Amino acid sequence: METDLLLHGLNLAYELATLMLATLGLAVVFGLLGVLNMAHGEFVMLGAYAVVTVQQWGWPLVTALPLALAGCALLGWAVERWLVRPLYARPFDTLLATWALAMLLRKLVEAIWGKGYRHVESSLTMPFSLGETQYPVYRLSLIVLAVVLMVALVLWYRRSAAGLRVRAMTGNPVLAQALGIDTRRLASQTFVVGVMLAGAAGVLLAPLVRIEPGMGLDYLLDAFFVLVVGGLGTLSGFAGGVGVIGGSQAVVSSIAGQTSGYAVVLVISILFLWLKPNGLFSRR
């Protein structure tokens, strides 16, 4: 009985950790800049395909992370500079532009790697003994990484000079610019960091998921549901959204199946949009 409870607890923690990793990039961009990057899932996809690429080249899997970070940083900078920046004051146009970018990225991936599914072969997913049962050590590593990343993000946002400038920009961009803060450059850096986090999430999740050109849509929907429930612009809202959406989906899926889990998440999101549109802990 205790082993079963431990296993269920670890599975729930793993679901929350993967959801947090996949959502964090969009939370940064949407929560701080107000830009709903519809290509967020495709940046996660690019990170996963970076792992596929280094595996094809015979390189160590660890080299996929710097490759994904460099590629997403360069692409994210170009997207912010020439696609998103002219549309900051037009959120609906930004949504349409990034959705078109998402479709373009999917087609480019199909042209390069094909439409078929890919799977990363790695010893990282091998299980280890945990009492009377076994559990993959890589999943445990992701759980620990998610906790460490969340703590680091809180400390950076609350204690660092860069976090102070970001809070000033999001609180009152006109006043921040008057005080000498280069809000345009800071917004560009924030967007790039957001897409780099998405690419890193793709690398980390690649050994555990089925990789294909349409995989980004699932991550985009999950991230959007988290932000709807949690609210925008606060770390507490992000954590609350991950807990509600990830916990509900994991519990219901284990009882009634994956389809029921998605249905419950959709119902919860609709109820929040209807009854509490600002989410649990919105800054606005």
Side-chain angles (χ1 to χ4, degrees):
M1 182 64 178
E2 293 181 358
T3 301
D4 290 339
L5 289 176
L6 177 60
L7 191 58
H8 286 305
L10 287 174
N11 285 333
L12 176 59
Y14 165 71
E15 294 291 340
L16 296 177
T18 55
L19 183 59
M20 197 214 82
L21 291 172
T23 306
L24 186 57
L26 185 62
V28 169
V29 173
F30 193 20
L32 299 182
L33 300 180
V35 175
L36 181 54
N37 178 18
M38 298 297 288
H40 169 77
E42 277 59 44
F43 283 102
V44 177
M45 172 195 68
L46 290 177
Y49 273 99
V51 181
V52 173
T53 300
V54 299
Q55 184 174 252
Q56 289 177 340
W57 291 347
W59 292 5
L61 291 185
V62 69
T63 58
L65 185 58
L67 178 63
L69 291 177
C72 288
L74 182 60
L75 181 58
W77 176 84
V79 168
E80 193 280 335
R81 175 64 181 84
W82 287 296
L83 183 65
V84 174
R85 186 180 297 180
L87 303 176
Y88 272 131
R90 297 150 57 188
F92 184 70
D93 291 345
T94 304
L95 185 149
L96 292 179
T98 53
W99 179 253
L101 173 66
M103 291 190 292
L104 176 62
L105 291 177
R106 285 198 295 271
K107 292 301 180 182
L108 287 175
V109 167
E110 289 180 7
I112 297 172
W113 286 281
K115 295 182 179 181
Y117 296 109
R118 300 298 183 98
H119 179 71
V120 174
E121 300 292 338
S122 173
S123 60
L124 295 174
T125 56
M126 295 296 292
F128 79 106
S129 296
L130 191 65
E132 298 178 358
T133 187
Q134 290 186 325
Y135 197 80
V137 65
Y138 189 65
R139 289 192 176 196
L140 280 178
S141 301
L142 285 184
I143 295 171
V144 174
L145 176 63
V147 173
V148 171
L149 186 59
M150 193 65 190
V151 172
L153 182 63
V154 170
L155 293 176
W156 172 84
Y157 190 70
R158 298 296 183 188
R159 303 290 179 86
S160 70
L164 178 62
R165 289 195 295 270
V166 169
R167 295 200 304 274
M169 179 186 70
T170 55
N172 192 326
V174 176
L175 180 59
Q177 192 166 11
L179 292 174
I181 297 176
D182 190 345
T183 55
R184 177 176 294 183
R185 180 180 180 184
L186 190 58
S188 177
Q189 292 172 346
T190 302
F191 188 89
V192 170
V193 168
V195 299
M196 288 175 67
L197 288 171
V203 173
L204 295 171
L205 297 175
L208 302 171
V209 300
R210 190 169 61 175
I211 302 169
E212 50 95 14
M215 64 182 290
L217 184 59
D218 290 336
Y219 292 112
L220 174 66
L221 292 176
D222 286 342
F224 178 73
F225 290 150
V226 166
L227 297 182
V228 165
V229 172
L232 297 179
T234 65
L235 295 174
S236 56
F238 172 65
V242 168
V244 172
I245 293 299
S248 301
Q249 185 171 352
V251 171
V252 175
S253 296
S254 65
I255 297 173
Q258 193 72 29
T259 302
S260 299
Y262 280 124
V264 168
V265 167
L266 180 60
V267 170
I268 291 174
S269 301
I270 292 173
L271 289 175
F272 266 85
L273 284 172
W274 180 28
L275 301 175
K276 197 173 177 60
N278 290 328
L280 291 172
F281 304 101
S282 178
R283 182 189 64 217
R284 299 163 188 173

